[in-house]
Structure formats: C-alpha cells, structure tokens
Amino acid sequence: GQNIDQPTEMTATEGAIVQINCTYQTSGFNGLFWYQQHAGEAPTFLSYNVLDGLEEKGRFSSFLSRSKGYSYLLLKELQMKDSASYLCAVRANTGGFKTIFGAGTRLFVKA
Amino acid sequence: GAVVSQHPSRVICKSGTSVKIECRSLDFQATTMFWYRQFPKQSLMLMATSNEGSKATYEQGVEKDKFLINHASLTLSTLTVTSAHPEDSSFYICSARDLGGGVQETQYFGPGTRLLVL
C-alpha cells in the first residue's frame, strides 16, 4: 500500500519562508504532486516532481528525493493569501495509475 | 491551463433518492478520470478510477453498486450516488489527467460538488 506523512499544521509570518515536508512509502512511484486547497474549494495544482531535485516556480519550489521517499514544498515571501491546506500527493503505478493524497498541512500565515 | 468542470456545484436531496454528478474536461481529452470524496477537515480519499470505454476501478471499501460510474466519452464521466443517505453527505471532486503534449503531466481538479442528504 501507500503511506504519506506530512505535518498537520504550521504557522509562519508574512514575508517569511516556510518549508512543508512530506515523506512517502509506495511501490511503483510515478511522481509527486503538491496542491493548494482553500477551505470549501477544490485543490489547485502547484507542482509536479518525478525526478530528483528542485523545481522552482515563482514563490513556490518543490524538491524530491526518490531514494529517501521525501519531498518538500518551499514557499517564499509569504502572503496572507497563502493561508491554506497544502496537499502532498503521490502517483503510483500499481496495475494502473492512481494518485493518493496525504492528509494535508494547514498553513496559517500571520501578520 | 486545462479546465475541468463539475455539475451541479451543490445539491440537496432527500434520503433514498439518487444523485448524478457530471465531470467534464473542457479543453482536453481524458481517458482516465478520478473521483474523490472529502469530508470536513480531512484529505481527499480516492473512490474510483473511471476509464473511458471500460468499467471503473473502485478502491477498497467503496461500494460499486452504490457509486455508479460511467465514462461515456473522452470528456465526460458521471458519478451516481444511488439511494443516498445522510452519511453520503460530502464534497465530491473529480480529477482528470492531461496527457497532451506537455513536459509535465498534470492532474486537474474540478470545482467539486457539495452533496447534502437530508
């Protein structure tokens, strides 16, 4: 089966940098996604990593280490609107591709 | 970016009735769509994988006779909650994979359907 772990909650200050970690265990690994979800809304895509290394996209960066089963999402220059849940999701090919989500990390950005 | 729509966005129904939710990929073809359910303050739980032209694949613990999935075309999948009960009240979200042409494969989500069963 698959197992995805990420912290339940984090708090950070506006303008600062925050790193949200995700560890996973799966067979047939085929990529890792990060999504942002505001309360009552559907998730929106942030990043996709399938190879080791860092992917940078504006204020958001995502890192993957497949050998360690580890990823992080880095948010720079935090804004109040970044307060949301951040979902780590792993896609695996286990006789068919499917994407399983972690429980999500609720980020609170304070002034 | 690619767009996935869902209809209806919100539905209230009486216990025992059936509710159909549509998921459409608007500007790309999706041979595979996914249906998730999310309870308040919880993460998305994969219910089933919808495959165009074939039967859906259900996750363990999801009743296939209760949650009927039909993937009639490359742009439309439907989820029917049959004989709905209050415990089926949840946020149902569909997702589709866009495989077309990009460097990155992306999975896009619909806006979700909030179901309340009275």
Side-chain angles (χ1 to χ4, degrees), chain B residues 4 6-7 9 14 18 22 26 28 32 36-37 41-42 44 46-47 49 57 61 66 70 83 85 90-91 98-100:
Chain B
V4 176
Q6 269 184 253
H7 177 79
S9 58
K14 293 182 180 179
S18 294
E22 292 186 349
L26 297 184
F28 65 99
T32 304
Y36 293 85
R37 179 168 54 181
K41 297 188 177 180
Q42 295 185 25
L44 283 75
L46 180 64
M47 298 176 65
T49 302
T57 305
K66 180 169 182 64
N70 183 277
S83 187
H85 289 97
S90 187
F91 192 40
D98 181 6
L99 301 176

Side-chain angles (χ1 to χ4, degrees), chain B residues 36-102:
Chain B
Y36 293 85
R37 179 168 54 181
Q38 187 176 36
F39 292 106
K41 297 188 177 180
Q42 295 185 25
S43 191
L44 283 75
M45 298 299 297
L46 180 64
M47 298 176 65
T49 302
S50 172
N51 303 299
E52 189 268 336
S54 64
K55 291 183 179 179
T57 305
Y58 290 82
E59 294 300 300
Q60 193 170 10
V62 178
E63 300 175 58
K64 61 181 180 180
D65 293 332
K66 180 169 182 64
F67 299 99
L68 301 179
I69 291 173
N70 183 277
H71 198 144
S73 73
L74 288 172
T75 59
L76 173 64
S77 175
T78 61
L79 169 68
T80 301
V81 183
T82 63
S83 187
H85 289 97
E87 58 265 29
D88 298 324
S89 299
S90 187
F91 192 40
Y92 291 85
I93 309 174
C94 74
S95 174
R97 292 172 65 195
D98 181 6
L99 301 176

Side-chain angles (χ1 to χ4, degrees), chain A residues 1-3 24-30 90-94:
Chain A
Q2 293 168 298
N3 189 44
Y24 65 89
Q25 294 173 309
T26 188
S27 56
F29 176 80
N30 194 256
V90 173
R91 185 170 68 223
N93 185 1
T94 53

Side-chain angles (χ1 to χ4, degrees), chain A residues 41-89:
Chain A
E41 299 179 10
T44 55
F45 170 80
L46 291 178
S47 68
Y48 169 68
N49 295 66
V50 67
L51 300 176
D52 290 349
L54 186 69
E55 294 277 346
E56 297 187 74
K57 191 184 294 185
R59 294 191 299 116
F60 295 76
S61 303
S62 57
F63 172 84
L64 175 67
S65 169
R66 289 172 296 171
S67 61
K68 296 181 179 178
Y70 168 68
S71 173
Y72 67 72
L73 178 70
L74 193 71
L75 293 78
K76 303 175 185 176
E77 301 170 16
L78 279 174
Q79 302 175 10
M80 300 297 286
K81 66 178 182 179
D82 296 330
S83 294
S85 286
Y86 291 86
L87 310 177
C88 173

Side-chain angles (χ1 to χ4, degrees), chain B residues 18-35:
Chain B
S18 294
V19 175
K20 180 186 281 188
I21 303 170
E22 292 186 349
C23 176
R24 294 181 185 273
S25 56
L26 297 184
D27 51 3
F28 65 99
Q29 293 183 331
T31 55
T32 304
M33 292 184 175
F34 304 91
W35 286 96

